[in-house]
């Protein structure tokens, strides 16, 4: 084979390898916005021009955890020690809303010191790449993963443990991690019970499964709301958005609304408010 043919084949091989190689990480510009979504395939942070969040003042029924998370976020923004936070518990009770509201409130009070970066559950393996990029920046960042949970055959949680608290480098000083989950240990109870009943060393197997939650210094529990709390949530929404409906009418409708849904939560309250706003021609922004 001639040298020219060998060179042509080597060139094709090199081109193929370039196409297979992961894309180079795009330089992070955290000054281009306050909120971003991490796109793992392209190693890129996409700016979110307007974050879908509610005002802290209308979050009701979660007063204690609201204050704790806000204080933790405020300390982090000031450069003081702060903890990773796991918000767990009943669905629809404002876990992700509280994260976004705390970020917005702190930024409003302190001239936008924080970037909020959402990472999807399936992109957790790329978290070390994101951490390396953020370590090179000066702006402080809250990495947020909504509805974080793991299956029995998913080993991603092991890499997440290292990123959060372990390894030689540890977590960058300008990064904190917030996650929401319906489960305190981010794994189904039957998975944990199965480890107890089938593993050779049950206690060690269970410790391995639940130790991820230990990386979160704050465990903030969210529980189902009472009817009075549910109605108070709606009352605050109606007042905040100036939706014209009487107390007696909305109370009767809101209770009926929960019966048709079979549940009572902050999410159900917001869905009812949206229905009333639509019927009364009120714009919610």
């Amino acid at each position: 084979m001639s040298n020219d043919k060998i060179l042509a084949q080597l060139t094709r091989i090199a081109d193929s390898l370039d196409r297979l190689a992961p894309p180079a990480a795009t330089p992070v510009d955290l000054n281009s916005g306050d909120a971003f979504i991490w796109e793992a395939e392209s190693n890129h942070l996409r700016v979110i021009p307007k974050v879908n969040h509610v005002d802290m003042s209308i979050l009701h029924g979660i007063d204690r955890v609201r204050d704790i998370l806000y204080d933790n976020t405020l300390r982090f923004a000031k450069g003081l020690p702060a903890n990773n936070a796991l918000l767990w518990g009943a669905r629809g009770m404002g876990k992700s809303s509280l994260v976004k509201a705390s970020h917005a409130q702190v930024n409003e009070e302190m001239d936008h010191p924080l970037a909020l970066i959402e990472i999807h559950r399936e992109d957790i393996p790329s978290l070390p790449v994101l951490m390396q990029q953020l370590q090179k920046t000066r702006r402080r960042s809250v990495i947020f993963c909504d509805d974080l949970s793991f299956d029995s055959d998913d080993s991603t949680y092991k890499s997440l443990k290292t990123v959060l608290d372990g390894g030689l480098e540890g977590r960058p000083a300008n990064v904190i991690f917030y996650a929401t989950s319906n489960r305190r240990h981010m794994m189904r109870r039957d998975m944990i019970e199965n480890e107890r009943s089938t593993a050779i060393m049950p206690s060690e197997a269970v410790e391995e499964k639940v130790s991820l939650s230990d990386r979160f210094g704050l465990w903030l529990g969210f529980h189902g709301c009472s009817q009075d709390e549910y109605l108070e949530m709606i009352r605050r929404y109606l007042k905040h958005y100036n939706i014209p409906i009487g107390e007696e009418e909305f109370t009767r409708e809101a209770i009926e609304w929960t019966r048709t849904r079979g549940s009572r939560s902050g999410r159900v309250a917001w869905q009812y408010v949206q229905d009333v706003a639509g019927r009364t021609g009120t714009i919610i922004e």
Side-chain angles (χ1 to χ4, degrees):
M1 183 181 295
S2 67
N3 290 337
D4 290 342
K5 290 183 178 179
I6 293 175
L7 180 61
Q9 286 188 355
L10 290 175
T11 301
R12 285 196 296 273
I13 293 173
D15 291 341
S16 298
L17 291 175
D18 285 340
R19 288 192 294 271
L20 292 173
T26 306
V28 174
D29 181 13
L30 293 182
N31 294 320
S32 58
D34 283 338
F36 306 80
I37 290 180
W38 172 245
E39 297 183 338
E41 290 186 0
S42 58
N43 290 333
H44 174 68
L45 284 173
R46 175 165 57 88
V47 180
I48 306 301
K50 183 179 180 181
V51 179
N52 179 28
H53 76 275
V54 298
D55 192 88
M56 286 275 285
S57 63
I58 57 176
L59 291 177
H60 180 69
I62 55 173
D63 302 53
R64 177 176 174 274
V65 292
R66 178 197 62 198
D67 294 343
I68 292 174
L69 188 71
Y70 167 74
D71 289 341
N72 191 68
T73 307
L74 183 62
R75 288 196 299 268
F76 175 67
K78 293 179 178 179
L80 299 172
N83 279 304
N84 298 318
L86 172 62
L87 291 73
W88 68 276
R91 67 183 189 276
M93 281 304 297
K95 296 184 292 294
S96 59
S97 295
L98 179 56
V99 171
K100 292 182 285 188
S102 296
H103 165 257
Q105 183 77 12
V106 170
N107 268 3
E108 181 179 342
E109 294 175 356
M110 293 187 60
D111 194 23
H112 301 263
L114 296 180
L116 180 65
I117 301 173
E118 182 174 7
I119 182 170
H120 295 142
R121 158 68 187 85
E122 59 272 17
D123 294 332
I124 287 294
S126 69
L127 187 55
V129 178
L130 174 59
M131 290 285 201
Q132 290 174 4
Q133 293 196 40
L134 296 178
Q135 195 171 27
K136 300 174 184 177
T137 68
R138 298 186 62 182
R139 194 175 189 187
R140 307 183 76 78
S141 300
V142 177
I143 299 180
F144 169 50
C145 185
D146 195 19
D147 197 19
L148 184 59
S149 62
F150 299 94
D151 296 324
S152 57
D153 58 348
D154 190 346
S155 60
T156 304
Y157 72 94
K158 295 182 180 180
S159 61
L160 180 57
K161 286 197 301 183
T162 302
V163 168
L164 289 180
D165 201 30
L168 292 176
E169 290 185 315
R171 173 168 54 89
N174 66 327
V175 175
I176 203 169
F177 193 90
Y178 287 175
T180 69
S181 178
N182 292 335
R183 311 181 187 104
R184 184 176 60 175
H185 293 300
M186 290 165 281
M187 296 180 183
R188 296 195 307 273
R189 181 178 295 274
D190 61 336
M191 290 167 50
I192 298 175
E193 294 301 328
N194 182 62
E195 291 288 0
R196 287 195 176 99
S197 61
T198 62
I200 297 175
M201 300 291 289
S203 61
E204 292 183 3
V206 172
E207 285 295 321
E208 173 69 15
K209 291 292 185 184
V210 303
S211 60
L212 173 59
S213 56
D214 291 340
R215 266 60 179 182
F216 294 89
L218 288 181
W219 287 9
L220 304 178
F222 290 69
H223 309 286
C225 60
S226 66
Q227 180 169 291
D228 289 342
E229 289 173 329
Y230 165 74
L231 293 174
E232 181 61 24
M233 292 175 190
I234 294 175
R235 188 175 292 108
R236 291 193 183 194
Y237 281 132
L238 296 175
K239 181 179 180 180
H240 183 80
Y241 294 109
N242 294 317
I243 300 175
I245 184 171
E247 177 85 11
E248 183 177 344
E249 183 180 1
F250 98 71
T251 299
R252 173 175 45 81
E253 289 184 354
I255 293 174
E256 179 63 25
W257 188 270
T258 65
R259 291 172 181 163
T260 62
R261 298 301 182 277
S263 65
R264 190 167 51 214
S265 68
R267 180 179 295 133
V268 173
W270 175 245
Q271 290 168 347
Y272 168 72
V273 169
Q274 286 185 305
D275 181 75
V276 176
R279 287 192 278 117
T280 58
T282 306
I283 302 299
I284 295 179
E285 294 183 347

